Amino acid sequence: MAKKFDFNQIGKEMPYSVPQGFFNELENSISARLQIPAAESRPKRPSAVRILFRGLTAAAAVAAILATTHALWPNRQQQPSMTLEQAFANLDISDQEYLLDTYSDVSYISDQL
Amino acid sequence: MKINDNEIVLQLEKNPEKGFCLLMQRFKEPVYWHIRRIVVSHSDAQDASQETFLRVFRSFNDLRNKESLTAWIYRIATNEALRLIRMRIPDTMSIDSAEGDIMSLRADEYFDYSNIEAVRLQKAINTLPPKQKLAFTLRYYDDLSYNDIAEVMDSTPDNAKMNYHIAKNKIINYMNSND
């Protein structure tokens, strides 16, 4: 007599498997994907201390630029109208890039550069 | 110990990070296996599981009846699995025939052909129409109540019960006639 199928004998067995450690990796990758948009959606806002520090640093940079141009051009008296823009133009490319990167968000400097 | 749905909902509202851990602890395996039974291939089940949980977390505030968390998650998982199947099948093929054929199409290395009875049972399940298949797998493998199954299927508990019993009888007939 043919054996009748019985759900109790097979139970919940399935012919499927997963790689080792799969469920932990699944949780980690979902967690990582959930954090990405959260970080992107919140724009970084500089703290008050950082803004003050940037302002002071920018002022120091302006002073440094003016002092440098004064030292390089002793006959500056003949060029009394040298502007910050001209002083900036006289710097090395790398120095210009550094200043732009560092002070691009300080409005009174970036406006002039 | 099984984590209570209410506790998960409470934590998700109060402390989303802790809620995430509890929810994953409770649902990551059952949701993956539920999807796997629908899509068959491991890589597809992995993709659909990820999308399911991302959707669950991003739309948690849309959950109206917080008491039906389980049904809501299984419903999202089912929709993700079916959406993935639709993306995989050619336009000329219906989703029913694609599901019936799926055993031969999408088997992968994480499939144990040596377990003959288990393979036959999955083949039998895959011959069922979608609603019967869903009612059967949610009841048989996931122990969901008929109320929850009805919510997943967007149906009534009586209809879910009827689909389950019809599916069970069909499977018994298949298993007894395909030795």
Side-chain angles (χ1 to χ4, degrees):
Chain A
M1 192 179 127
K3 197 178 158 192
K4 293 289 173 193
F5 173 71
D6 181 2
F7 279 107
N8 292 324
Q9 279 190 338
I10 193 165
K12 295 184 180 183
E13 267 181 54
M14 290 183 295
Y16 309 132
S17 62
V18 293
Q20 209 171 8
F22 166 71
F23 288 108
N24 284 339
E25 282 174 27
L26 178 70
E27 184 169 343
N28 290 340
S29 65
I30 293 164
S31 170
R33 282 182 69 183
L34 282 168
Q35 280 163 9
I36 292 165
E40 282 173 353
S41 62
R42 250 182 267 138
K44 283 183 184 172
R45 304 184 77 179
S47 67
V49 172
R50 183 166 287 196
I51 290 168
L52 180 65
F53 177 76
R54 281 182 181 171
L56 290 172
T57 323
V62 172
I65 290 168
L66 293 175
T68 308
T69 52
H70 186 268
L72 288 174
W73 288 277
N75 57 344
R76 190 178 171 275
Q77 283 173 337
Q78 294 167 6
Q79 301 173 335
S81 62
M82 178 177 272
T83 61
L84 181 61
E85 189 180 352
Q86 285 170 318
F88 179 79
N90 287 327
L91 292 172
D92 287 345
I93 297 288
S94 58
D95 288 339
Q96 289 178 351
E97 284 174 353
Y98 173 78
L99 285 171
L100 284 171
D101 285 347
T102 312
Y103 305 112
S104 58
D105 56 346
V106 179
S107 60
Y108 70 89
I109 298 240
S110 57
D111 287 350
Q112 295 193 57
L113 299 180
Chain B
M1 197 182 85
K2 196 173 168 181
I3 304 162
N4 186 298
D5 278 12
N6 291 340
E7 197 186 335
I8 297 171
V9 170
L10 205 72
Q11 284 299 335
L12 281 169
E13 289 170 339
K14 214 167 64 177
N15 180 350
E17 219 165 284
K18 194 176 173 191
F20 170 81
C21 291
L22 285 179
L23 191 137
M24 291 305 289
Q25 206 179 320
R26 161 78 177 83
F27 286 106
K28 68 182 172 189
E29 293 196 30
V31 161
Y32 168 84
W33 290 119
H34 171 64
I35 291 172
R36 181 81 187 263
R37 283 187 286 271
I38 298 173
V39 301
V40 179
S41 113
H42 165 68
S43 60
D44 284 350
Q46 184 179 11
D47 290 348
S49 299
Q50 284 206 9
E51 292 309 314
T52 297
F53 285 109
L54 291 174
R55 189 161 289 206
V56 164
F57 284 102
R58 286 172 182 160
S59 54
F60 175 70
N61 292 333
D62 299 340
L63 175 61
R64 286 182 298 263
N65 176 10
K66 305 270 160 128
E67 285 176 7
S68 64
L69 180 72
T70 297
W72 183 65
I73 291 175
Y74 272 90
R75 188 175 179 144
I76 293 174
T78 305
N79 288 340
E80 282 301 322
L82 295 177
R83 192 174 64 84
L84 203 137
I85 288 178
R86 277 188 207 102
M87 279 165 55
R88 297 273 193 266
I89 59 172
D91 292 341
T92 50
M93 197 186 235
S94 76
I95 193 159
D96 293 6
S97 57
E99 282 191 285
D101 258 6
I102 220 153
M103 295 295 279
S104 56
L105 292 174
R106 307 214 55 82
D108 57 24
E109 62 181 303
Y110 300 107
F111 193 98
D112 180 14
Y113 288 99
S114 64
N115 192 340
I116 295 167
E117 279 296 278
V119 172
R120 286 185 60 232
L121 178 57
Q122 292 307 309
K123 279 185 177 173
I125 292 169
N126 277 307
T127 61
L128 298 170
K131 284 201 170 181
Q132 290 172 17
K133 180 179 171 179
L134 195 57
F136 179 80
T137 57
L138 289 173
R139 182 73 180 170
Y140 184 73
Y141 289 103
D142 297 300
D143 299 316
L144 257 62
S145 68
Y146 289 118
N147 283 342
D148 279 347
I149 296 171
E151 275 198 57
V152 176
M153 294 169 56
D154 199 14
S155 181
T156 62
D158 283 345
N159 193 267
K161 197 171 183 175
M162 191 181 73
N163 273 302
Y164 169 75
H165 284 291
I166 293 172
K168 193 175 173 185
N169 286 331
K170 280 186 179 176
I171 289 169
I172 291 169
N173 287 338
Y174 179 98
M175 296 299 279
N176 287 333
S177 63
N178 285 274
D179 284 330

PDB file of all heavy atoms in Angstrom, chain A residues 13-26:
ATOM      1  N   GLU A  13      10.413  21.689   7.330  1.00  0.00           N
ATOM      2  CA  GLU A  13      11.675  21.595   6.574  1.00  0.00           C
ATOM      3  C   GLU A  13      11.532  22.199   5.187  1.00  0.00           C
ATOM      4  O   GLU A  13      10.511  22.012   4.525  1.00  0.00           O
ATOM      5  CB  GLU A  13      12.052  20.124   6.384  1.00  0.00           C
ATOM      6  CG  GLU A  13      12.973  19.587   7.445  1.00  0.00           C
ATOM      7  CD  GLU A  13      13.310  18.141   7.158  1.00  0.00           C
ATOM      8  OE1 GLU A  13      13.777  17.848   6.040  1.00  0.00           O
ATOM      9  OE2 GLU A  13      13.082  17.314   8.046  1.00  0.00           O
ATOM     10  N   MET A  14      12.585  22.881   4.776  1.00  0.00           N
ATOM     11  CA  MET A  14      12.586  23.451   3.414  1.00  0.00           C
ATOM     12  C   MET A  14      13.923  23.116   2.743  1.00  0.00           C
ATOM     13  O   MET A  14      14.925  22.929   3.431  1.00  0.00           O
ATOM     14  CB  MET A  14      12.415  24.972   3.485  1.00  0.00           C
ATOM     15  CG  MET A  14      11.035  25.407   3.922  1.00  0.00           C
ATOM     16  SD  MET A  14      10.891  27.184   3.898  1.00  0.00           S
ATOM     17  CE  MET A  14      12.038  27.657   5.158  1.00  0.00           C
ATOM     18  N   PRO A  15      13.921  23.062   1.414  1.00  0.00           N
ATOM     19  CA  PRO A  15      15.188  22.728   0.734  1.00  0.00           C
ATOM     20  C   PRO A  15      16.087  23.948   0.537  1.00  0.00           C
ATOM     21  O   PRO A  15      16.927  23.959  -0.343  1.00  0.00           O
ATOM     22  CB  PRO A  15      14.699  22.176  -0.611  1.00  0.00           C
ATOM     23  CG  PRO A  15      13.424  22.896  -0.868  1.00  0.00           C
ATOM     24  CD  PRO A  15      12.807  23.187   0.463  1.00  0.00           C
ATOM     25  N   TYR A  16      15.855  24.986   1.314  1.00  0.00           N
ATOM     26  CA  TYR A  16      16.616  26.232   1.142  1.00  0.00           C
ATOM     27  C   TYR A  16      17.626  26.417   2.253  1.00  0.00           C
ATOM     28  O   TYR A  16      17.399  26.001   3.382  1.00  0.00           O
ATOM     29  CB  TYR A  16      15.668  27.447   1.155  1.00  0.00           C
ATOM     30  CG  TYR A  16      14.496  27.367   0.216  1.00  0.00           C
ATOM     31  CD1 TYR A  16      13.217  27.663   0.648  1.00  0.00           C
ATOM     32  CD2 TYR A  16      14.673  27.009  -1.113  1.00  0.00           C
ATOM     33  CE1 TYR A  16      12.127  27.605  -0.205  1.00  0.00           C
ATOM     34  CE2 TYR A  16      13.592  26.947  -1.973  1.00  0.00           C
ATOM     35  CZ  TYR A  16      12.321  27.241  -1.517  1.00  0.00           C
ATOM     36  OH  TYR A  16      11.255  27.180  -2.370  1.00  0.00           O
ATOM     37  N   SER A  17      18.706  27.088   1.918  1.00  0.00           N
ATOM     38  CA  SER A  17      19.696  27.439   2.946  1.00  0.00           C
ATOM     39  C   SER A  17      20.201  28.853   2.668  1.00  0.00           C
ATOM     40  O   SER A  17      19.880  29.443   1.631  1.00  0.00           O
ATOM     41  CB  SER A  17      20.851  26.443   2.940  1.00  0.00           C
ATOM     42  OG  SER A  17      21.507  26.492   1.681  1.00  0.00           O
ATOM     43  N   VAL A  18      20.996  29.376   3.597  1.00  0.00           N
ATOM     44  CA  VAL A  18      21.585  30.711   3.413  1.00  0.00           C
ATOM     45  C   VAL A  18      23.075  30.638   3.743  1.00  0.00           C
ATOM     46  O   VAL A  18      23.505  29.731   4.456  1.00  0.00           O
ATOM     47  CB  VAL A  18      20.911  31.767   4.331  1.00  0.00           C
ATOM     48  CG1 VAL A  18      19.480  32.017   3.926  1.00  0.00           C
ATOM     49  CG2 VAL A  18      21.002  31.374   5.794  1.00  0.00           C
ATOM     50  N   PRO A  19      23.871  31.588   3.241  1.00  0.00           N
ATOM     51  CA  PRO A  19      25.298  31.592   3.589  1.00  0.00           C
ATOM     52  C   PRO A  19      25.473  31.820   5.095  1.00  0.00           C
ATOM     53  O   PRO A  19      24.605  32.429   5.727  1.00  0.00           O
ATOM     54  CB  PRO A  19      25.862  32.790   2.806  1.00  0.00           C
ATOM     55  CG  PRO A  19      24.821  33.169   1.822  1.00  0.00           C
ATOM     56  CD  PRO A  19      23.517  32.675   2.327  1.00  0.00           C
ATOM     57  N   GLN A  20      26.607  31.357   5.604  1.00  0.00           N
ATOM     58  CA  GLN A  20      26.876  31.523   7.037  1.00  0.00           C
ATOM     59  C   GLN A  20      26.940  33.014   7.412  1.00  0.00           C
ATOM     60  O   GLN A  20      27.536  33.811   6.676  1.00  0.00           O
ATOM     61  CB  GLN A  20      28.206  30.855   7.379  1.00  0.00           C
ATOM     62  CG  GLN A  20      28.244  30.358   8.790  1.00  0.00           C
ATOM     63  CD  GLN A  20      29.471  29.505   9.059  1.00  0.00           C
ATOM     64  OE1 GLN A  20      30.358  29.409   8.217  1.00  0.00           O
ATOM     65  NE2 GLN A  20      29.527  28.920  10.224  1.00  0.00           N
ATOM     66  N   GLY A  21      26.330  33.347   8.513  1.00  0.00           N
ATOM     67  CA  GLY A  21      26.358  34.737   8.990  1.00  0.00           C
ATOM     68  C   GLY A  21      25.470  35.672   8.196  1.00  0.00           C
ATOM     69  O   GLY A  21      25.539  36.892   8.349  1.00  0.00           O
ATOM     70  N   PHE A  22      24.628  35.089   7.345  1.00  0.00           N
ATOM     71  CA  PHE A  22      23.816  35.919   6.448  1.00  0.00           C
ATOM     72  C   PHE A  22      22.898  36.889   7.189  1.00  0.00           C
ATOM     73  O   PHE A  22      22.800  38.061   6.836  1.00  0.00           O
ATOM     74  CB  PHE A  22      22.991  35.029   5.502  1.00  0.00           C
ATOM     75  CG  PHE A  22      21.907  35.779   4.797  1.00  0.00           C
ATOM     76  CD1 PHE A  22      22.209  36.700   3.798  1.00  0.00           C
ATOM     77  CD2 PHE A  22      20.564  35.615   5.151  1.00  0.00           C
ATOM     78  CE1 PHE A  22      21.218  37.423   3.163  1.00  0.00           C
ATOM     79  CE2 PHE A  22      19.570  36.336   4.521  1.00  0.00           C
ATOM     80  CZ  PHE A  22      19.895  37.239   3.525  1.00  0.00           C
ATOM     81  N   PHE A  23      22.218  36.415   8.231  1.00  0.00           N
ATOM     82  CA  PHE A  23      21.217  37.270   8.878  1.00  0.00           C
ATOM     83  C   PHE A  23      21.850  38.465   9.602  1.00  0.00           C
ATOM     84  O   PHE A  23      21.263  39.542   9.645  1.00  0.00           O
ATOM     85  CB  PHE A  23      20.326  36.444   9.813  1.00  0.00           C
ATOM     86  CG  PHE A  23      19.379  35.563   9.052  1.00  0.00           C
ATOM     87  CD1 PHE A  23      19.566  34.193   9.017  1.00  0.00           C
ATOM     88  CD2 PHE A  23      18.335  36.107   8.325  1.00  0.00           C
ATOM     89  CE1 PHE A  23      18.711  33.375   8.291  1.00  0.00           C
ATOM     90  CE2 PHE A  23      17.471  35.309   7.594  1.00  0.00           C
ATOM     91  CZ  PHE A  23      17.656  33.941   7.574  1.00  0.00           C
ATOM     92  N   ASN A  24      23.059  38.265  10.131  1.00  0.00           N
ATOM     93  CA  ASN A  24      23.748  39.413  10.744  1.00  0.00           C
ATOM     94  C   ASN A  24      24.140  40.429   9.675  1.00  0.00           C
ATOM     95  O   ASN A  24      24.018  41.637   9.872  1.00  0.00           O
ATOM     96  CB  ASN A  24      24.995  38.951  11.497  1.00  0.00           C
ATOM     97  CG  ASN A  24      24.628  38.296  12.805  1.00  0.00           C
ATOM     98  OD1 ASN A  24      23.534  38.519  13.330  1.00  0.00           O
ATOM     99  ND2 ASN A  24      25.520  37.469  13.329  1.00  0.00           N
ATOM    100  N   GLU A  25      24.613  39.916   8.536  1.00  0.00           N
ATOM    101  CA  GLU A  25      24.990  40.828   7.433  1.00  0.00           C
ATOM    102  C   GLU A  25      23.769  41.582   6.909  1.00  0.00           C
ATOM    103  O   GLU A  25      23.865  42.770   6.588  1.00  0.00           O
ATOM    104  CB  GLU A  25      25.629  40.036   6.292  1.00  0.00           C
ATOM    105  CG  GLU A  25      27.071  39.669   6.561  1.00  0.00           C
ATOM    106  CD  GLU A  25      27.638  38.768   5.477  1.00  0.00           C
ATOM    107  OE1 GLU A  25      27.154  38.824   4.328  1.00  0.00           O
ATOM    108  OE2 GLU A  25      28.561  37.990   5.804  1.00  0.00           O
ATOM    109  N   LEU A  26      22.661  40.872   6.841  1.00  0.00           N
ATOM    110  CA  LEU A  26      21.429  41.521   6.374  1.00  0.00           C
ATOM    111  C   LEU A  26      21.065  42.683   7.296  1.00  0.00           C
ATOM    112  O   LEU A  26      20.787  43.798   6.835  1.00  0.00           O
ATOM    113  CB  LEU A  26      20.280  40.494   6.344  1.00  0.00           C
ATOM    114  CG  LEU A  26      18.908  41.019   5.916  1.00  0.00           C
ATOM    115  CD1 LEU A  26      18.889  41.360   4.434  1.00  0.00           C
ATOM    116  CD2 LEU A  26      17.812  39.979   6.206  1.00  0.00           C
TER     117      LEU A  26
END
